Amino acid sequence: DAASAVEVYRKALAASPDKSVAVVTVGYATNLRDLLESGADDISPLTGKQLVAQKVDRWVCMGGRYPEHLDPGEFGNFKPDPKAILAAVEGWPTTIYFSGDGEKLGTGGRLEETPKDNPVRRIYELYLGDVKKTRPSWDLVALLFAVQPDAPWWTITDQGYNHIFENGTNQWRSEPDRDQVLFQIKPGGEKNVTKILDSLMTRGPDGAVDDAGR
């Protein structure tokens, strides 16, 4: 009985102030492609693309590797539905921020400090088993950027664009320049970002974390 992803997106966007929304994808782009192709309905007289142009400030897209990922045999978020990511990127009317960082950031090691019924701790335990305590953090890095894009630990490449091939592989190219940005963790900043992510996962419901992860 759940609503479709397109319906959820359209309702959320229609109810939001203009240019207030950051969309984050940590998987395939199928739903965003479908959103862009949606027409006016009872939710909004705007098409999906018009809603995005009016309501969305940025799309933070976790996928690909940089400067390039040309091996079609390795898993990647663009490869299971390459037609969707190509259509979504081509039709997206606001800035797209791409990320591929996170493999070297092992987060979750401090979850044992939380109660045993902490849902995040339980998810990590179920996924990792009894041996590993951490896992790579691609998704978390993308989400952290979405909420703290001006933090000092990012390096920004705003010249060029992410060329995505028909098989879902990708390559960052310097020309032509498009409304696309590559953000990465500054060299030597992995330890600090790991600390911040672990602090966010282990804080209490009312706990605050500053930009230094305290």
Side-chain angles (χ1 to χ4, degrees), residues 162-182:
N162 189 19
H163 183 84
I164 303 172
F165 297 90
E166 292 185 356
N167 63 358
T169 57
N170 76 289
Q171 181 181 61
W172 189 268
R173 296 181 175 179
S174 59
E175 298 290 344
D177 194 21
R178 298 178 182 172
D179 196 11
Q180 299 181 16
V181 175
L182 172 64

Side-chain angles (χ1 to χ4, degrees), residues 11-103:
K11 286 183 176 179
L13 293 177
S16 300
D18 292 353
K19 296 297 181 182
S20 68
V21 177
V23 174
V24 185
T25 54
V26 295
Y28 314 151
T30 310
N31 292 332
L32 291 191
R33 185 270 315 277
D34 294 346
L35 168 64
L36 291 175
E37 294 179 353
S38 66
D41 55 15
D42 293 340
I43 299 172
S44 171
L46 302 179
T47 66
K49 188 171 183 177
Q50 290 170 334
L51 268 175
V52 170
Q54 181 173 318
K55 303 292 186 174
V56 175
D57 174 66
R58 59 191 179 275
W59 169 17
V60 179
C61 178
M62 192 284 287
R65 294 181 183 177
Y66 302 89
E68 62 184 20
H69 187 198
L70 302 178
D71 185 351
E74 292 188 15
F75 180 78
N77 283 348
F78 300 157
K79 296 174 184 177
D81 193 352
K83 291 183 179 180
I85 185 66
L86 285 167
V89 170
E90 181 65 26
W92 197 260
T94 70
T95 305
I96 306 174
Y97 294 79
F98 288 98
S99 170
D101 279 358
E103 185 171 8

Side-chain angles (χ1 to χ4, degrees), residues 95-199:
T95 305
I96 306 174
Y97 294 79
F98 288 98
S99 170
D101 279 358
E103 185 171 8
K104 297 181 180 179
L105 276 68
T107 53
R110 288 185 54 199
L111 286 170
E112 60 186 8
E113 301 172 15
T114 66
K116 290 184 177 181
D117 61 351
N118 180 301
V120 180
R121 173 178 175 173
R122 188 63 183 136
I123 289 169
Y124 269 69
E125 290 173 345
L126 290 170
Y127 183 85
L128 297 174
D130 297 328
V131 180
K132 293 183 178 180
K133 298 296 183 182
T134 66
R135 75 175 307 275
S137 309
W138 300 281
D139 301 1
L140 282 67
V141 168
L143 185 58
L144 184 63
F145 177 84
V147 297
Q148 296 186 359
D150 298 322
W153 47 79
W154 309 120
T155 180
I156 299 296
T157 301
D158 56 10
Q159 175 67 37
Y161 77 108
N162 189 19
H163 183 84
I164 303 172
F165 297 90
E166 292 185 356
N167 63 358
T169 57
N170 76 289
Q171 181 181 61
W172 189 268
R173 296 181 175 179
S174 59
E175 298 290 344
D177 194 21
R178 298 178 182 172
D179 196 11
Q180 299 181 16
V181 175
L182 172 64
F183 70 92
Q184 296 170 295
I185 300 170
K186 286 184 177 179
E190 290 86 357
K191 184 176 180 179
N192 187 45
V193 174
T194 299
K195 179 181 177 181
I196 293 165
L197 292 173
D198 274 331
S199 296

